[in-house]
Amino acid sequence: MRGNTGNESPIRLVIHGGAGAVKPGQRREREQAYREALAQSLIAGHAVLAAGGSSIDAVIAAIAVMEDCPLFNAGKGSVLTHDGRNELEASIMEGVTRAAGAVAGVTTIRNPIRAAHAVMTKSPHVMLIGQGAEIFAAKQGLEIVDSSYFYTQHRWNQLQKAIAKESILLDHDAGLDTLPGEDEKRGTVGAVAVDSHGNLAAGTSTGGLTNKHSGRVGDSSIIGAGTYADNRSVAVSTTGTGEMFIRTAAAFNTAAQVRFLHAPITEAADNTLEEIAAIGGDGGLIVLDADGNYAMRFNTGAMFRGTIGGDGIARTGIFSGPETPAMSS
């Protein structure tokens, strides 16, 4: 696969905003709100790629938009732990050297994906957690906010529902018409990109599970589980039942099938989802190679997703079927 050869490659960005058992046709305006948010993320990432920027910077730009949007379970609007706290996590990886960074259990960093990138580029480590990660992020000049910034009323209501049921809920146990509601949606966000030099990158960010135990860490901050990028194979970001994605090393599993078995990317993604389903998990993943070939696969009723390439047309989808061009505002 390509490295920094200087040859022009087709630019491509693929994103997801969670997967789950959302049903179509509940309220069109809510569906449209998600599509518009996905389109904004795609446009932000594409602007970086179109200007000749790196895939890493495109991934950060796309994910930061979703972290700032309370529709998703990442950054502002993240779900709450049993103790009523937001504990966020994120990771990022680039495909040339396989450098990576991650943060977990953070409560005051506005954009965890930027903190993950800082760990990758400004420290000798791959993962920092909790207060140590927050102190490091502040020293790097990242925006620090009061923990109340992440709070939204509907997440508090969702927590009370989960506590009453004595259950741990995968975000957003909700339909499109209510946030939350009765159907399941996994609201983790992620992005994969290839830049004009053929270099891959991947990133993932989440607030985790509603009513999760304080200190719980999911797959989104674990390199090889929720995020992986290797120019020799593919870039991957996942969403779903995190424990099962960890147990199957889902992101690396997918990349290894492409690299060593020469599996088509769609087949590799489906194989990984089958392994996850076999142990009781579900969700989805996005996969991209250095030639711009991509797959957006899920074994749930829906996955909030989108892609944009050299033509600059943002295409989004929620349910099965092809992605459609986003409506211009």
Side-chain angles (χ1 to χ4, degrees):
M1 307 296 275
R2 293 182 186 87
N4 286 298
T5 64
N7 297 329
E8 285 297 308
S9 296
I11 60 172
R12 174 66 59 178
L13 171 69
V14 185
I15 65 171
H16 70 76
V22 179
K23 297 181 178 68
Q26 291 175 317
R27 265 180 68 177
R28 294 299 181 189
E29 60 267 32
R30 179 61 68 182
E31 179 180 334
Q32 185 57 30
Y34 274 104
R35 289 183 180 272
E36 289 175 359
L38 291 167
Q40 290 170 8
S41 171
L42 289 167
I43 291 167
H46 178 265
V48 174
L49 296 175
S54 70
S55 52
I56 277 283
D57 288 341
V59 162
I60 294 169
I63 290 178
V65 168
M66 292 188 281
E67 287 179 334
D68 290 342
C69 176
L71 288 174
F72 302 103
N73 175 24
K76 186 175 182 62
S78 289
V79 301
L80 299 163
T81 68
H82 180 77
D83 299 329
R85 289 160 43 91
N86 296 106
E87 294 184 1
L88 315 178
E89 61 183 87
S91 63
I92 196 164
M93 186 172 185
E94 58 91 11
V96 179
T97 64
R98 284 164 285 155
V103 294
V106 298
T107 62
T108 62
I109 302 171
R110 174 173 175 168
N111 294 110
I113 193 65
R114 297 190 190 281
H117 182 247
V119 172
M120 183 183 91
T121 57
K122 303 293 180 61
S123 86
H125 309 302
V126 170
M127 178 183 282
L128 295 177
I129 65 170
Q131 187 178 27
E134 292 168 351
I135 292 170
F136 173 80
K139 287 181 177 178
Q140 302 308 315
L142 300 183
E143 185 172 357
I144 303 300
V145 296
D146 186 86
S147 59
S148 62
Y149 165 82
F150 303 106
Y151 175 93
T152 57
Q153 185 63 44
H154 75 79
R155 295 300 190 197
W156 177 258
N157 295 341
Q158 187 179 31
L159 174 62
Q160 302 316 305
K161 172 183 171 183
I163 290 173
K165 290 186 174 183
E166 297 184 350
S167 62
I168 296 174
L169 302 179
L170 289 146
D171 180 67
H172 306 244
D173 288 353
L176 293 175
D177 57 334
T178 59
L179 247 82
E182 296 303 320
D183 293 329
E184 292 184 351
K185 176 180 174 290
R186 290 77 161 119
T188 296
V189 306
V192 292
V194 60
D195 59 32
S196 59
H197 300 290
N199 294 321
L200 293 168
T204 313
S205 180
T206 192
L209 302 172
T210 298
N211 200 27
K212 67 183 180 180
H213 195 289
S214 179
R216 179 263 184 184
V217 176
D219 65 309
S220 297
S221 58
I222 298 179
I223 299 302
T227 301
Y228 196 74
D230 185 344
N231 276 18
R232 299 170 299 179
S233 55
V234 290
V236 184
S237 175
T238 75
T239 176
T241 44
E243 280 70 12
M244 283 69 169
F245 280 72
I246 294 171
R247 288 162 59 187
T248 56
F252 178 77
N253 186 337
T254 305
Q257 291 177 61
V258 174
R259 182 182 171 200
F260 298 114
L261 302 180
H262 308 292
I265 58 176
T266 298
E267 178 182 320
D270 287 346
N271 289 341
T272 298
L273 289 173
E274 284 180 14
E275 282 198 43
I276 290 165
I279 58 173
D282 63 9
L285 64 164
I286 53 176
V287 189
L288 175 69
D289 72 17
D291 294 317
N293 301 306
Y294 64 93
M296 296 181 273
R297 307 296 290 176
F298 52 101
N299 59 8
T300 54
M303 183 167 75
F304 290 57
R305 63 195 188 276
T307 186
I308 192 167
D311 61 6
I313 299 173
R315 292 175 169 82
T316 62
I318 298 175
F319 308 106
S320 60
E323 295 72 42
T324 57
M327 297 294 291
S328 57
S329 56

